[in-house]
Amino acid sequence: MTSEDRSERRGSRVPRRLPRAKRLALWVLALLLLAVIVFLSWASVPMAAERGPWAAVRADPRIRVTETGDGVALIPSSVPTGVGLVFLAGARVDPEAYAAKLAPLVDAGVTVVIARPTLNFAIIESRPLSTFTALAPGVRKWFVGGHSLGGVRACQYAHDDPSVGGLVLFGSYCSVDLSRSSLPVLSVAGSRDGLSTPAKIAANARLLPASARFVTIAGADHAMFGDYGAQPGDNTATISDAEMRRELTAAVLPFLG
């Protein structure tokens, strides 16, 4: 065999296959990357706020609206009470979707800041509470609250930040133990909530202080705490948005003092 023949044979050899473990690792890495891309695409498209309720808030002369990348501040146009509420939206819900339900509190003098969470998921929010309170300087006492997973994150703020004056939960419950805390807590549930059901809220009540107050709004479903349309997995509400606003205001306003 000539040297040319040997050279040709060497050049025609099939490349070695990667070891099985390496091939598996590459597949796993590719699948993880695909999952991250899918999640980011899904999270970047939140459930949009209904235009009518949001437009009504913006047109309310008693409310001054300020929007930034960190959140939506609803500031009383009249003399504020000095009390504020930082509110965290539920998963993949526009912050603006909660403005109309919280507007009666602002009309009564309470400053409300609706946080704009990272990737539309409050549960992965890592910024300090001061990021949001800074949107409305001059408030002397801050409460923190949230809807659904936003409420779970609000519990964490209440647990970690000693400046928090109280906790408000809408269709939500805590994953951290506040049972030994003296923090005032208000938990508002909907009797027809198909996601944060009254049973789930009752099962997690042990993590709240013994003094926590529980209110159930008859006929309210999970999505009624905001204005963003129907939500998969939820039940159908049997009360109107106007009734829901009245019930929420009646429960929350006295609690905020």
Side-chain angles (χ1 to χ4, degrees), residues 53-249:
W54 175 228
V57 172
R58 294 186 64 86
D60 189 337
R62 295 167 294 182
I63 300 175
R64 179 162 55 89
V65 179
T66 302
E67 295 181 79
T68 71
D70 291 323
V72 179
L74 308 177
I75 302 172
S77 298
S78 58
V79 180
T81 61
V83 173
L85 170 67
V86 172
F87 191 86
L88 293 111
R92 293 183 62 242
V93 181
D94 269 343
E96 293 86 352
Y98 297 94
K101 291 298 195 310
L102 298 172
L105 304 179
V106 188
D107 290 338
V110 177
T111 297
V112 174
V113 174
I114 310 171
R116 200 180 299 282
T118 302
L119 293 176
N120 298 307
F121 274 86
I123 197 65
I124 61 174
E125 178 58 62
S126 61
R127 288 170 291 181
L129 190 64
S130 58
T131 301
F132 310 111
T133 59
L135 299 181
V139 173
R140 58 175 174 77
K141 183 178 182 181
W142 281 104
F143 289 74
V144 65
H147 175 225
S148 194
L149 284 180
V152 176
R153 183 66 182 96
C155 291
Q156 294 169 346
Y157 278 125
H159 180 271
D160 298 336
D161 193 327
S163 71
V164 171
L167 174 65
V168 180
L169 300 175
F170 286 0
S172 186
Y173 42 81
C174 286
S175 62
V176 294
D177 192 351
L178 295 172
S179 61
R180 296 183 180 181
S181 169
S182 59
L183 192 73
V185 177
L186 171 66
S187 175
V188 185
S191 68
R192 293 188 56 76
D193 193 323
L195 301 176
S196 297
T197 63
K200 288 181 180 178
I201 291 174
N204 286 275
R206 59 184 176 77
L207 296 175
L208 298 179
S211 60
R213 182 186 175 199
F214 294 87
V215 175
T216 299
I217 299 179
D221 63 9
H222 195 72
M224 284 292 287
F225 287 99
D227 294 291
Y228 53 91
Q231 189 164 354
D234 202 3
N235 294 315
T236 301
T238 57
I239 62 172
S240 68
D241 281 324
E243 291 172 319
M244 185 66 174
R245 280 194 297 272
R246 285 195 294 270
E247 293 282 352
L248 275 178
T249 304

